Amino acid sequence: MTNDFQQHLNQITKKAKIKYLDISNQDLVGEADLNEFTVLTSLNSYNNRFENLDFLNSLPNKETLKKLNFFGNQLKEVDLA
């Protein structure tokens, strides 16, 4: 069973205070809007089913990200530009 990424995020409260987000091993797929995660510095997302990282573009302060972990996903292409 796969889980919709946006629905999963909708259940999280106080997004503006979260610095470390661990969404690993949730079998997540799809896109999501991360614009409420204004202080996020670390995103741990191993063992999901993401095919791209386009949703990272919705982060308002991308320059504050220090750590990303997408090991074990189904990424086809990664553009870090």
Side-chain angles (χ1 to χ4, degrees), residues 28-44:
L28 297 174
V29 297
E31 294 291 320
D33 187 350
L34 302 175
N35 68 354
E36 293 181 64
F37 292 91
T38 55
V39 296
L40 195 66
T41 59
S42 181
L43 177 56
N44 203 8

Side-chain angles (χ1 to χ4, degrees), residues 66-81:
K66 305 281 188 257
K67 293 182 183 174
L68 290 173
N69 181 352
F70 284 92
F71 181 80
N73 279 272
Q74 299 172 350
L75 297 175
K76 294 176 173 42
E77 184 177 304
V78 176
D79 181 3
L80 297 176

Side-chain angles (χ1 to χ4, degrees), residues 23-26 43-50 53 68-75 78:
I23 53 171
S24 301
N25 295 308
Q26 301 289 324
L43 177 56
N44 203 8
S45 179
Y46 60 85
N47 292 338
N48 283 301
R49 298 187 42 198
F50 295 119
L53 303 179
L68 290 173
N69 181 352
F70 284 92
F71 181 80
N73 279 272
Q74 299 172 350
L75 297 175
V78 176

